[in-house]
Amino acid sequence: MRAHGRKVLALIALVVMTATGCVAHKNNSGPHAAPDAVPLSTLADLTLQVGDQKGGTEALLRAAGQLDGLPYRVAFSTFTSGPPQVEAAAAGSIDFAIMGNTPPIFGAASNAKIKVVSAYGGGGPGNRILVHADSPIITVTDLRGKSVAVGKGSSAHANLLAQLDKVGLKPSDIKLVFLQPADALSAFNQHQADAWAIWDPFTAQAEQQIPVRSIAEATGVTNGDWVGVASDRALADAKRNTALGDLLVRFERAAQWAKAHPQEWAQYYATAVGLDPQVAAVAANRSLRLPTELSDDVVNSEQKLADLFAASQQIQASPKFSNWVDHRYNEVLRPNLVS
């Protein structure tokens, strides 16, 4: 009876652990209720940690004057691409970052403690598959058996998979070479890769500095969106949650300013991130992140990408993406969306 009793107690303990989330592989249960907002005047001691890529977020906010007179502080950290930003947010090292449409899919697949809280359109034209100008590759179909450099888990990775799927090819039909943008540029430039799937400003940089052709772009094939990703830790904290809501509105205003002042924005961007003015002029305006509604359509299109990654065996299983989406800022952002 004692042995039987111990078995019963062990079973009860297992059930309790499962119900309370003590099992390591517990699935994300979706967004939690937002904490009550606090007055902005109480945020003087707060530093919001924000991830950035190639100066895009910080440069836009500064160019538009939206970091002037902040009631809190912002510390920006630069990352090579979206996937390491997801890792940092999941670990609580940063509170927020804007990234391409794919990194949060990989985050969701690994049960990362993050949520998508905003969406930005307009990324399709700068997300392209490039080949050398003298390459015999004319269409995506011609990539069969060829090597393609791409950042794993990036929006370019999604574009590449979608383009392959469109013409009936699988990732196994090509040679995937996973490289971060700087290394991929070097490999492609030295003809160590036959093609390069990449996003702006690197696309614009290659187009200006190397004889290349684009054989495909994301427009009309993937959603071409960027998304704003926050850490669960930040969303659960009343002060960080309030500051993030304010910063998202400021980013909307900055995007509106940039759309209305394309030359001023391009000039500022070139100086801020050390790009050639011609490169900056193309990238800054072709791939301006335009705040859009974090709608069911956006979430559904992200789910389709997640399903594609799973079907292509790039991730083990397709997560239910809506569990990694939090619409808490939709109402405050809606009046300033950029169409």
Side-chain angles (χ1 to χ4, degrees), residues 227-251:
V227 291
V229 172
S231 70
D232 283 357
R233 168 179 168 269
L235 294 174
D237 180 84
K239 286 189 173 183
R240 293 183 186 279
N241 173 66
T242 300
L244 182 52
D246 179 73
L247 188 70
L248 289 173
V249 171
R250 289 172 181 268
F251 188 87

Side-chain angles (χ1 to χ4, degrees), residues 34-337:
D36 291 336
V38 300
L40 291 174
S41 60
T42 66
L43 303 181
D45 62 343
L46 175 69
T47 299
L48 201 62
Q49 302 290 337
V50 177
D52 202 358
Q53 293 181 56
K54 202 73 173 178
T57 301
E58 181 180 10
L60 183 58
L61 287 164
R62 290 199 184 282
Q66 288 300 317
L67 294 181
D68 299 340
L70 280 178
Y72 47 87
R73 295 183 295 275
V74 179
F76 292 94
S77 303
T78 302
F79 293 80
T80 55
S81 60
Q85 287 181 313
V86 167
E87 293 178 10
S93 300
I94 61 173
D95 299 312
F96 175 76
I98 295 175
M99 61 193 69
N101 55 17
T102 303
I105 291 173
F106 275 66
S110 64
N111 203 28
K113 296 179 179 179
I114 58 169
K115 296 292 183 295
V116 172
V117 296
S118 56
Y120 308 89
N127 198 331
R128 300 182 172 186
I129 301 175
L130 303 178
V131 299
H132 291 281
D134 59 356
S135 171
I137 299 171
I138 304 300
T139 68
V140 174
T141 304
D142 298 330
L143 291 176
R144 184 186 296 272
K146 305 298 184 181
S147 59
V148 184
V150 65
K152 186 174 184 178
S154 67
S155 60
H157 193 180
N159 182 36
L160 176 59
L161 290 187
Q163 299 288 354
L164 292 174
D165 184 67
K166 184 180 177 182
V167 299
L169 293 180
K170 299 178 181 178
S172 58
D173 293 322
I174 66 171
K175 300 172 185 176
L176 284 170
V177 182
F178 290 125
L179 293 171
Q180 288 294 318
D183 293 331
L185 172 59
S186 177
F188 179 69
N189 198 23
Q190 297 175 40
H191 289 262
Q192 294 173 354
D194 298 305
W196 184 20
I198 189 58
W199 63 91
D200 272 336
F202 305 102
T203 309
Q205 186 176 6
E207 290 171 336
Q208 292 287 333
Q209 298 175 359
I210 309 170
V212 297
R213 287 184 287 106
S214 171
I215 62 168
E217 70 174 52
T219 304
V221 180
T222 70
N223 59 28
D225 292 337
W226 293 274
V227 291
V229 172
S231 70
D232 283 357
R233 168 179 168 269
L235 294 174
D237 180 84
K239 286 189 173 183
R240 293 183 186 279
N241 173 66
T242 300
L244 182 52
D246 179 73
L247 188 70
L248 289 173
V249 171
R250 289 172 181 268
F251 188 87
E252 283 186 321
R253 294 171 182 162
Q256 290 175 332
W257 173 86
K259 186 178 181 183
H261 302 84
Q263 292 184 334
E264 291 178 56
W265 162 227
Q267 290 171 359
Y268 189 97
Y269 182 62
T271 302
V273 301
L275 282 175
D276 177 273
Q278 286 184 306
V279 173
V282 173
N285 294 300
R286 178 172 67 186
S287 295
L288 178 62
R289 292 172 294 188
L290 302 174
T292 189
E293 181 90 17
L294 181 56
S295 63
D296 290 342
D297 287 344
V298 170
V299 176
N300 291 338
S301 67
E302 288 290 294
Q303 185 64 58
K304 289 180 180 179
L305 284 181
D307 295 344
L308 177 60
F309 270 95
S312 302
Q313 299 183 331
Q314 303 294 291
I315 55 177
Q316 288 188 341
S318 180
K320 184 179 179 182
F321 193 77
S322 59
N323 282 344
W324 279 268
V325 178
D326 192 317
H327 298 278
R328 68 177 61 184
Y329 299 116
N330 273 23
E331 291 300 321
V332 71
L333 295 178
R334 191 167 289 129
N336 294 301
L337 297 179

